[in-house]
Amino acid sequence: MMRALILLLALAGPVCANEAIVTGLSQNRVQITANFDGSEILIYGAVKRDAPAPQGAPLAVIITVEGPSTPLIIRRKERVAGIWLNRSSVTVDAAPSFYAVATSAPLERILSGTEDLRHHITIPQVIRAVGISDEAENAPDFVAALERIRLDENRYRIAENTVQLVEETLFRTDVALPANLTEGNYKVRLFILRGGVVLDTQERLIGVRKAGLERFLFNLAHQQPLLYGVISLVMAAVAGWAASAAFRFVRS
């Protein structure tokens, strides 16, 4: 009986490794101050296995960083009688204020379309625009224009081959966050894949908050708008008086 069991296990072939992610961030909090000019986040991790790595399709890693999403109205301007006018528009349910994709290899080689639809990894998949075809002709062109503009503004990024993967076990990458960050929670997602299929995923958060004077003014403007308006008027009046006094002093 024991010999038969050993023979059966041998015929079954090697045990497939159960691969999972263990990850970390260099920081999970970013403070926006008066002299804030951006930040760089180190994202690193390792692949944990309960058996040797399987042979065949190589391991791949994809890392995404997604800022807070907001609804948008995208308008198309057309020239009418020599004047540019907004002629048509579509409403996007949600579009990330910032989105970066970093990979260990070209996306088209490591990610299947099915897995992209399931996990919403590429930029077109994270822009949620349901039912826009009823709002305007060639509605997908509006979303493509949004993607193109934000890529040009460096608010959306595709960084292929920037994840360093060592011995199909250790990986790391650096993601630069711009100076014009939107306050909120930034979602970091990490994926390991083989043959275009996602084996495991993990999610972390980076909190981005205003600090110091910027935080005080932000809270004042939203919590006590009347007081904020009065203070703004007083400061403007004082600045105008000071400029006038300085001008009179210089002339004298």
Side-chain angles (χ1 to χ4, degrees):
M1 181 68 179
M2 182 61 67
R3 290 181 179 178
L5 180 60
I6 294 174
L7 179 61
L8 181 62
L9 291 174
L11 292 174
V15 177
C16 293
N18 181 21
E19 298 177 294
I21 308 176
V22 181
T23 64
L25 304 173
S26 60
Q27 61 188 85
N28 57 13
R29 186 178 304 169
V30 175
Q31 292 188 337
I32 302 176
T33 58
N35 58 353
F36 180 76
D37 60 355
S39 182
E40 191 168 76
I41 306 295
L42 168 63
I43 304 171
Y44 58 91
V47 180
K48 181 175 63 175
R49 301 183 178 92
D50 54 12
Q55 302 297 315
L59 185 77
V61 179
I62 299 176
I63 298 173
T64 68
V65 181
E66 180 179 350
S69 294
T70 57
L72 292 173
I73 298 177
I74 309 172
R75 295 181 172 87
R76 172 186 289 162
K77 291 192 173 186
E78 297 179 11
R79 192 167 186 140
V80 179
I83 302 175
W84 288 98
L85 299 174
N86 292 323
R87 299 288 292 177
S88 54
S89 65
V90 299
T91 301
V92 173
D93 300 319
S97 57
F98 174 83
Y99 195 73
V101 183
T103 71
S104 61
L107 265 174
E108 61 181 11
R109 281 174 35 194
I110 62 175
L111 177 65
S112 70
T114 302
E115 292 294 272
D116 190 19
L117 285 171
R118 180 179 301 164
H119 295 281
H120 305 288
I121 295 174
T122 61
I123 294 175
Q125 293 301 325
V126 296
I127 300 175
R128 294 188 290 277
V130 180
I132 60 173
S133 57
D134 296 332
E135 298 183 31
E137 293 183 4
N138 301 320
D141 293 345
F142 288 75
V143 179
L146 171 64
E147 180 181 342
R148 183 176 63 254
I149 291 170
R150 292 200 165 179
L151 282 169
D152 292 340
E153 294 174 345
N154 208 28
R155 296 169 67 183
Y156 288 174
R157 303 173 187 169
I158 302 175
E160 296 179 318
N161 300 305
T162 58
V163 177
Q164 301 174 27
L165 179 59
V166 180
E167 299 295 333
E168 292 199 350
T169 301
L170 303 176
F171 61 87
R172 59 155 291 169
T173 192
D174 296 293
V175 176
L177 301 178
N180 58 340
L181 286 179
T182 299
E183 190 178 28
N185 289 326
Y186 283 63
K187 183 167 59 177
V188 179
R189 294 184 299 159
L190 304 99
F191 304 87
I192 54 173
L193 311 90
R194 285 189 187 275
V197 178
V198 174
L199 304 177
D200 190 29
T201 179
Q202 192 172 106
E203 183 175 311
R204 307 290 292 269
L205 289 178
I206 300 173
V208 176
R209 299 290 183 270
K210 292 181 173 66
L213 180 61
E214 287 72 20
R215 186 65 184 173
F216 170 76
L217 293 176
F218 179 84
N219 289 337
L220 186 65
H222 287 78
Q223 297 173 8
Q224 301 185 49
L226 180 59
L227 179 59
Y228 177 80
V230 171
I231 293 176
S232 299
L233 289 174
V234 171
M235 291 179 64
V238 171
W241 174 84
S244 177
F247 181 73
R248 288 197 304 268
F249 177 78
V250 171
R251 289 191 61 183
S252 62

